[in-house]
Amino acid sequence: ALVGVGNISMRRALYASARESFEQALAIQESTLGRAHPVTAITLTNCGLAHEKIGNVDEALRMHKRALTMQQEVLGTWHPDVARTWSHLGQAHEARGSLEEAASCHQQAYETRERVHGLEHADTAYSLSRLGATRRRQGDLQKASQYFHSALAINEKVLGPDH
């Protein structure tokens, strides 16, 4: 229930409240499920997202890295949750202004999603869009355009041209 409360708080942009709910849930999960459990890792990632939203980017990075390590140990390298955490880690690096690290994380997310879902999947397209956004922020408009066009082509094929 605490994770649900945290999710509602995130939707309402009540990020400090969300962080509190996620951290309470995390403490309970770590004591009941253990520190190396997929559910614990997801809650840890939610904590990271809340920290990022309230400007605690270093703490967000720490939590995302910890969640990623946990997920890779428990779920393996090629899992959708691992890809999602790579993406969150990339976004936290972007928020910090560490664009090369962000691009590297988004590349890992893309490679994981391509391997897990294939090229024709909305999540794979999302990773390409994140790569495009990061390259755009770096000033590499040509590479950004390539990523955005690739993402668009996948989305049109998967979701239709009017989506």
Side-chain angles (χ1 to χ4, degrees), residues 2-3 24-41 43:
L2 283 168
V3 171
Q24 288 174 8
L26 180 63
I28 293 167
Q29 290 169 354
E30 286 178 336
S31 69
T32 59
L33 301 174
R35 294 179 64 96
H37 192 280
V39 173
T40 305
T43 302

Side-chain angles (χ1 to χ4, degrees), residues 14-115:
L14 302 170
Y15 303 122
S17 176
R19 186 202 69 223
E20 289 176 22
S21 295
F22 290 142
E23 286 178 350
Q24 288 174 8
L26 180 63
I28 293 167
Q29 290 169 354
E30 286 178 336
S31 69
T32 59
L33 301 174
R35 294 179 64 96
H37 192 280
V39 173
T40 305
I42 290 170
T43 302
L44 187 58
T45 299
N46 287 337
C47 286
L49 293 170
H51 273 284
E52 182 183 334
K53 290 290 190 181
I54 59 176
N56 297 337
V57 178
D58 288 339
E59 184 65 11
L61 286 166
R62 188 185 71 72
M63 291 185 156
H64 290 316
K65 287 176 184 176
R66 188 172 144 218
L68 181 64
T69 299
M70 186 185 306
Q71 289 170 328
Q72 289 173 324
E73 289 172 2
V74 175
L75 303 171
T77 302
W78 309 112
H79 191 278
D81 288 353
V82 171
R84 188 176 309 111
T85 301
W86 274 120
S87 185
H88 293 317
L89 189 56
Q91 290 173 345
H93 277 298
E94 284 179 54
R96 189 180 198 202
S98 305
L99 298 180
E100 268 314 308
E101 289 90 344
S104 177
C105 291
H106 290 310
Q107 183 66 39
Q108 285 293 125
Y110 167 73
E111 290 173 10
T112 304
R113 285 176 168 148
E114 181 184 17
R115 184 161 175 176

Side-chain angles (χ1 to χ4, degrees), residues 92-163:
H93 277 298
E94 284 179 54
R96 189 180 198 202
S98 305
L99 298 180
E100 268 314 308
E101 289 90 344
S104 177
C105 291
H106 290 310
Q107 183 66 39
Q108 285 293 125
Y110 167 73
E111 290 173 10
T112 304
R113 285 176 168 148
E114 181 184 17
R115 184 161 175 176
V116 170
H117 300 302
L119 281 174
E120 296 179 358
H121 193 279
D123 287 349
T124 306
Y126 177 77
S127 287
L128 288 168
S129 291
R130 294 301 326 149
L131 279 164
T134 302
R135 293 302 181 199
R136 182 185 61 220
R137 286 187 66 195
Q138 289 176 306
D140 188 349
L141 300 182
Q142 181 177 357
K143 193 69 171 170
S145 179
Q146 291 171 353
Y147 284 128
F148 285 132
H149 279 93
S150 295
L152 178 62
I154 293 168
N155 280 330
E156 285 179 342
K157 188 169 190 174
V158 173
L159 304 172
D162 297 327
H163 184 57

